[in-house]
Amino acid sequence: MFSASVASVVLPFLPMLPGQILLNDLLYDTGQLAIPGDRVDREQIRSPWHWNIGYIRRFMLLFGPISSLFDFATFALMVLVFHAGHREFQAGGFIESIATQTLIIFAIRTRRVLFFRSRPSQQLAAPMLPEHHRYRRRVHRRSARYVTRSPRSAAASKSASASLSAPASPHP
């Protein structure tokens, strides 16, 4: 939120509305509720780990400014390239903030390469990917391959096949 407070001094409007900031914090905090049930890497289970305050300090001093620079670059892109008005800017800032906070949760959970060497549990990944509930996966019985269909595409294919088989109406 440091970058949003700096942007509020520079811009003629608020970069994010108070409701967006509260919703952003609520979504971020809700996503963190699954961290205690996450998978733990084997090397972290072998022996107890001690908090390294120097490492945490270096991480904060490095990652904080990088995150703010990314925010400022996004703000400049929205204003200078896309010529976003205040509503588009607020929506873009909200989406960018949610996306970076989601990546932060995945980045701090392991020291390994994300998603390739250390996969998060389904309980942690599911709330972070809001579109996961729209798609269902089912196994095709004959070929045993996975077919992914969204409910919208299934409904659209049903209505398209129904319109093809229905007799043409004499009235437009």
Side-chain angles (χ1 to χ4, degrees), residues 50-121:
H50 300 283
W51 287 93
N52 184 346
I53 301 302
Y55 174 78
I56 294 171
R57 184 180 307 117
R58 286 189 304 275
F59 181 83
M60 288 175 15
L61 292 175
L62 177 71
F63 197 82
I66 289 173
S67 178
S68 294
L69 287 175
F70 184 72
D71 290 342
F72 292 137
T74 304
F75 294 163
L77 182 75
M78 286 191 288
V79 170
L80 301 175
V81 176
F82 295 122
H83 305 289
H86 71 283
R87 294 195 189 276
E88 292 87 9
F89 190 93
Q90 291 166 344
F94 177 76
I95 292 169
E96 184 265 341
S97 179
I98 290 289
T100 55
Q101 287 182 1
T102 300
L103 290 174
I104 288 169
I105 289 176
F106 289 124
I108 64 174
R109 62 170 289 280
T110 184
R111 291 187 180 189
R112 293 181 176 184
V113 178
L114 298 177
F115 300 109
F116 296 108
R117 303 235 174 186
S118 178
R119 292 190 170 193
S121 66

Side-chain angles (χ1 to χ4, degrees), residues 1-16 21 72 75 79 89-90:
M1 290 300 146
F2 170 75
S3 55
S5 59
V6 170
S8 67
V9 173
V10 176
L11 296 171
F13 52 85
L14 291 174
M16 285 177 67
I21 293 171
F72 292 137
F75 294 163
V79 170
F89 190 93
Q90 291 166 344

Side-chain angles (χ1 to χ4, degrees), residues 6-33:
V6 170
S8 67
V9 173
V10 176
L11 296 171
F13 52 85
L14 291 174
M16 285 177 67
L17 296 173
Q20 287 177 316
I21 293 171
L22 291 173
L23 180 61
N24 187 343
D25 289 341
L26 176 68
L27 292 173
Y28 181 66
D29 293 344
T30 303
Q32 289 184 1
L33 290 175

